Amino acid sequence: MPSFIPDLSVTLTFALAGFVLAITPGPDMALFVSRTMNFGRSHGFAAVLGTSTGIAVHTMLVAFGISVLIVAAPTAFWVLKIVGALYLVWLAIQAVRSGGGLLVSREGGKQPRLFQSYLTGLAINLTNPKVALFFVTFLPQFVSAEDPAVAQKLVFLGVEFILVSIPVVVGTVLFAEWLTVTLRDNQWVSKALNWSFAAVFIGFAATILFAEGRK
């Protein structure tokens, strides 16, 4: 077996843990639903690709030790928290503004480019310090610091986490598409969903502000 692949028991244990984390609601899942309900399945999947890219970036940062420095430095971590929280607040505002980017789609509404949905997914992941904390504190538990291939194994586990998450995020996007078709003509439900998305993003923004770096 190549040196960058962890033992089978570690791989399976991490897969189970990753699946549990993938089905745990978060701002990324709310984004997948809102983008799909806004602009269709393709934009939902574009947001998924963006968050997956963010996971890949966090994995590389952990593998090469940069994220540890960010989380350990109080000022850098504080800036990351503020930026992440403000970004989620901005998404919440967009959710309730007329013509905002998260509103359930209406005929003639402004259609963003797929790349914009991708960038939104990327930004929501990169500016979330809880994601950085997860990769700094959780991912290394499955490798040994004395292992000469520790960096390669961390990268392998990051890729594994993305692969394990795929069935969850694909199911989320498809469910949101079905929900959109079912509720498209119900304006009261549409407004309730818009305010629900706003509340979710505000809630996660507050949670991010209480995230703390490692002591």
Side-chain angles (χ1 to χ4, degrees):
M1 182 178 295
S3 60
F4 66 86
I5 299 179
D7 295 338
L8 181 60
S9 60
V10 173
T11 302
L12 293 178
T13 302
F14 182 81
L16 178 60
F19 179 77
V20 172
L21 288 166
I23 63 177
T24 302
D28 51 354
M29 189 175 291
L31 180 67
F32 303 153
V33 174
S34 61
R35 281 281 152 169
T36 303
M37 296 185 74
N38 271 327
F39 312 116
R41 182 195 305 178
S42 59
H43 283 271
F45 286 137
V48 167
L49 183 59
T51 58
S52 296
T53 304
I55 291 173
V57 171
H58 279 294
T59 299
M60 297 303 295
L61 290 176
V62 169
F64 296 101
I66 300 176
S67 277
V68 175
L69 296 178
I70 294 176
V71 175
T75 301
F77 190 76
W78 180 83
V79 170
L80 184 62
K81 286 200 300 182
I82 296 300
V83 171
L86 289 177
Y87 185 70
L88 288 174
V89 169
W90 180 82
L91 289 178
I93 293 172
Q94 295 303 303
V96 295
R97 286 182 57 187
S98 177
L102 296 176
L103 292 175
V104 177
S105 39
R106 298 184 177 93
E107 294 297 327
K110 184 178 179 181
Q111 183 84 359
R113 292 177 298 165
L114 286 174
F115 188 60
Q116 289 177 299
S117 291
Y118 167 83
L119 289 179
T120 302
L122 176 62
I124 206 171
N125 216 325
L126 291 183
T127 60
N128 188 346
K130 291 180 73 65
V131 177
L133 275 174
F134 160 71
F135 279 94
V136 169
T137 60
F138 182 73
L139 205 60
Q141 304 302 319
F142 292 85
V143 297
S144 171
E146 289 76 28
D147 192 331
V150 61
Q152 296 94 318
K153 287 183 177 179
L154 286 171
V155 172
F156 178 89
L157 292 174
V159 173
E160 181 183 358
F161 181 76
I162 294 174
L163 294 177
V164 168
S165 302
I166 287 177
V168 176
V169 296
V170 168
T172 300
V173 170
L174 294 180
F175 173 76
E177 183 182 43
W178 170 83
L179 191 63
T180 301
V181 173
T182 303
L183 302 177
R184 187 184 300 275
D185 297 328
N186 193 322
Q187 293 300 311
W188 185 87
V189 173
S190 296
K191 290 181 180 180
L193 287 171
N194 292 335
W195 283 97
S196 296
F197 285 133
V200 167
F201 285 122
I202 289 293
F204 282 117
T207 301
I208 281 177
L209 288 175
F210 286 103
E212 296 185 3
R214 300 176 72 180
K215 301 297 185 182

